[in-house]
Amino acid sequence: MPDNPQQDNAQKDRPQKEQPRRQARGERRIAQLLEAAASVFSTTGYTAASTNAIAREAGVSPGTLYQFFPNKEAIAIELRDRLMHEMREAYGEALAPVDPATPLEEAVGAAVDRFIAFNCDHPVFYTLMHGPDIPGRITEAHDVLHATLISRIEGLLHSLLPDARPAEVTRTAHVCFGMYKAGLELVLAHEGAERDAYVEEVKKVLIRYLEPLVGDRLGTAHATAAKSTP
Amino acid sequence: MPDNPQQDNAQKDRPQKEQPRRQARGERRIAQLLEAAASVFSTTGYTAASTNAIAREAGVSPGTLYQFFPNKEAIAIELRDRLMHEMREAYGEALAPVDPATPLEEAVGAAVDRFIAFNCDHPVFYTLMHGPDIPGRITEAHDVLHATLISRIEGLLHSLLPDARPAEVTRTAHVCFGMYKAGLELVLAHEGAERDAYVEEVKKVLIRYLEPLVGDRLGTAHATAAKSTP
DNA sequence: CCAGAATGCGAGCGACCGCTCGTGTTTGTC
DNA sequence: GACAAACACGAGCGGTCGCTCGCATTCTGG
């Protein structure tokens, strides 16, 4: 068991996890702790972040932290769940509506802009979602989420190129997601105007990768050999 | 100090690190230990890999391990250095010679093929080079190496598009490297025919990204609508 | 053959980590 | 005001980790 067998003496036989009646103070503490956790996670990564450091950052004792979270993992899960909720709420179904007549540039640009904006506002999101540092159970929930994201992209792709073998669509979706992920990392590594420039590069990568696939369907006149002289 | 302040009571005031005269047995042990380290690192990552586990995998005691390496970091560094040497030796200056007349497809394809082949043969290379799990000093050496790689790509790009502002060339190089890295991750996550398919996708991504930049320079008639009939 | 160096062992040190628990304080309810 | 529940504290428990140290064994040069 080369995993992370440090300890796992958490609660186990609790089919219903009935939490104690929270007071307003408790809710405030939870928010405080999650904010501190976001800070610590995004600067040191998940495994290197110690619960004592999170408690210290929040200005409380380790015992207080464990009043509200059964273990370290639960902190990350709750944080991720809240971020996911906030994202859905802010951007709705970001790439769900696959308007079949939208030009490729617009569809890709909008999706990339939204996701990147959210990640820039909440740096910890990248750490939790795409960080390779996450052990055990968290990953399982992430895998589900990752799969739904991929299938969203697949759906979008399917509406763009109805005549393609499913395996290829899946592969293309994985490539798009991987490239987006890499682009996001590049974007987060820069700031200001340079950051904006990288955002445009990411869009270019995706658009140019997908352009030949959608071909010149409909009247969308994107041209790989087009010039600025009409 | 959120770094890794576990211990650092290694040797410090040793300007010349004069190693003891190695015997053949010692060299064998070193190779054995590095092989074990490669296995453990690539399956558990750097930080999660324990030196005791490496020693156990190599079939020796922890004390023996520290006979040959001053600390855990040195194992990773030596491993990386040997891999780098092996790579230079196997593929020469992989993307150094910037033949200015090579078609884009060929240049990108060759470079991608070489790098990916090497990474497939030595999975630990990805962990050590691109793994986000590496603390402290190792990263410094990696940054140097990363910078030289980027400047190699810049050089290659400069020969392809001589009339481009340096900042843009740098940015393009970073994008190419990031996309290659993401593609490598995708490739390593699959096997057999699927893996080969992903390799081709990575090439497509890079070629299509760079194609509009090089335009139709010279007579290299790469065409997004080109066929296989000469 | 033998002195000394190189190699090998493994219990264990010190540090940190996730987490607990006994105790004390604050808050809501009657 | 009384009482229980929720909240807060922080020393410390059990554990792993990187690494050491004293000692035994094997190799090498003279």
Side-chain angles (χ1 to χ4, degrees):
Chain A
M1 52 203 81
D3 222 333
N4 188 12
Q6 195 120 350
Q7 276 97 301
D8 49 329
N9 42 351
Q11 87 293 8
K12 45 170 61 176
D13 42 13
R14 192 69 50 82
Q16 270 80 328
K17 46 167 180 177
E18 50 175 309
Q19 287 155 338
R21 271 189 61 261
R22 294 257 108 97
Q23 301 181 348
R25 190 172 31 145
E27 296 290 352
R28 249 181 287 129
R29 277 275 180 261
I30 290 179
Q32 205 173 124
L33 283 164
L34 287 176
E35 194 175 348
S39 165
V40 177
F41 282 155
S42 62
T43 58
T44 70
Y46 175 77
T47 44
S50 84
T51 54
N52 289 15
I54 295 174
R56 202 181 317 121
E57 173 88 11
V60 303
S61 86
T64 299
L65 186 153
Y66 283 92
Q67 187 90 27
F68 301 102
F69 299 98
N71 50 51
K72 182 179 173 181
E73 199 173 26
I75 305 174
I77 292 181
E78 177 69 20
L79 192 50
R80 185 208 50 192
D81 286 352
R82 294 201 178 193
L83 282 169
M84 289 296 303
H85 183 264
E86 186 177 343
M87 181 163 139
R88 284 200 209 288
E89 185 166 78
Y91 296 115
E93 305 301 324
L95 42 77
V98 207
D99 327 24
T102 328
L104 180 62
E105 283 87 347
E106 217 168 292
V108 169
V112 167
D113 277 335
R114 290 174 175 206
F115 277 100
I116 285 187
F118 187 80
N119 275 278
C120 289
D121 287 345
H122 309 279
V124 73
F125 192 70
Y126 184 86
T127 307
L128 288 182
M129 283 299 296
H130 312 299
D133 189 21
I134 318 283
R137 314 289 262 286
I138 315 182
T139 328
E140 298 175 15
H142 282 202
D143 285 350
V144 174
L145 207 137
H146 180 272
T148 64
L149 250 179
I150 290 287
S151 66
R152 286 277 179 82
I153 303 180
E154 281 180 316
L156 205 151
L157 287 177
H158 188 70
S159 78
L160 290 178
L161 29 122
D163 46 348
R165 292 191 287 108
E168 287 182 6
V169 174
T170 301
R171 193 158 50 231
T172 306
H174 275 95
V175 171
C176 287
F177 187 68
M179 297 304 146
Y180 154 75
K181 220 171 88 176
L184 176 57
E185 200 173 341
L186 282 171
V187 168
L188 290 177
H190 295 83
E191 285 183 0
E194 197 64 12
R195 171 174 289 186
D196 297 340
Y198 272 103
V199 174
E200 291 311 306
E201 295 303 302
V202 176
K203 291 182 194 173
K204 280 188 206 165
V205 169
L206 288 173
I207 290 171
R208 289 175 188 169
Y209 172 60
L210 293 175
E211 217 164 31
L213 296 183
V214 309
D216 342 51
R217 62 185 246 289
L218 289 176
T220 59
H222 27 57
T224 44
K227 312 304 167 309
S228 51
T229 54
Chain B
M1 53 203 83
D3 224 334
N4 187 14
Q6 195 121 349
Q7 278 97 298
D8 48 327
N9 41 352
Q11 87 294 7
K12 45 171 60 178
D13 40 13
R14 192 69 51 84
Q16 268 81 325
K17 45 169 181 179
E18 52 174 310
Q19 287 155 339
R21 273 189 59 261
R22 295 257 109 96
Q23 302 181 348
R25 188 170 35 141
E27 297 289 352
R28 249 181 287 128
R29 277 276 178 259
I30 290 180
Q32 207 174 124
L33 284 163
L34 288 176
E35 194 175 348
S39 166
V40 177
F41 283 156
S42 63
T43 58
T44 71
Y46 174 78
T47 45
S50 85
T51 54
N52 289 16
I54 295 174
R56 202 181 316 122
E57 173 87 12
V60 303
S61 85
T64 298
L65 186 152
Y66 282 93
Q67 186 89 27
F68 301 102
F69 300 98
N71 50 50
K72 182 179 174 183
E73 199 174 26
I75 304 173
I77 291 181
E78 177 68 21
L79 191 52
R80 187 209 49 193
D81 287 353
R82 293 203 178 191
L83 282 170
M84 287 297 303
H85 182 263
E86 187 175 343
M87 180 162 140
R88 285 198 208 289
E89 183 166 81
Y91 296 116
E93 305 300 324
L95 42 78
V98 207
D99 326 26
T102 329
L104 182 63
E105 283 86 348
E106 218 168 290
V108 169
V112 167
D113 276 336
R114 290 175 174 205
F115 277 100
I116 284 186
F118 187 80
N119 275 277
C120 289
D121 286 344
H122 309 279
V124 73
F125 192 70
Y126 185 87
T127 307
L128 288 183
M129 284 297 296
H130 313 301
D133 191 19
I134 318 282
R137 314 287 264 285
I138 315 181
T139 327
E140 299 175 14
H142 282 201
D143 284 349
V144 174
L145 206 138
H146 179 272
T148 64
L149 251 181
I150 290 286
S151 65
R152 286 279 179 81
I153 303 179
E154 281 180 316
L156 206 151
L157 287 177
H158 188 70
S159 77
L160 290 178
L161 29 122
D163 46 349
R165 293 193 285 107
E168 286 182 7
V169 174
T170 301
R171 194 157 50 231
T172 305
H174 275 96
V175 171
C176 287
F177 186 68
M179 297 304 146
Y180 153 75
K181 219 171 89 175
L184 176 58
E185 199 175 342
L186 282 171
V187 167
L188 290 176
H190 295 83
E191 285 182 0
E194 196 65 10
R195 170 173 288 187
D196 297 341
Y198 272 102
V199 173
E200 292 310 307
E201 294 302 301
V202 175
K203 292 181 192 171
K204 279 188 206 165
V205 169
L206 288 174
I207 291 171
R208 289 176 189 168
Y209 172 61
L210 293 175
E211 215 164 33
L213 296 184
V214 310
D216 343 52
R217 63 186 242 293
L218 288 175
T220 60
H222 29 60
T224 44
K227 310 309 164 309
S228 52
T229 53

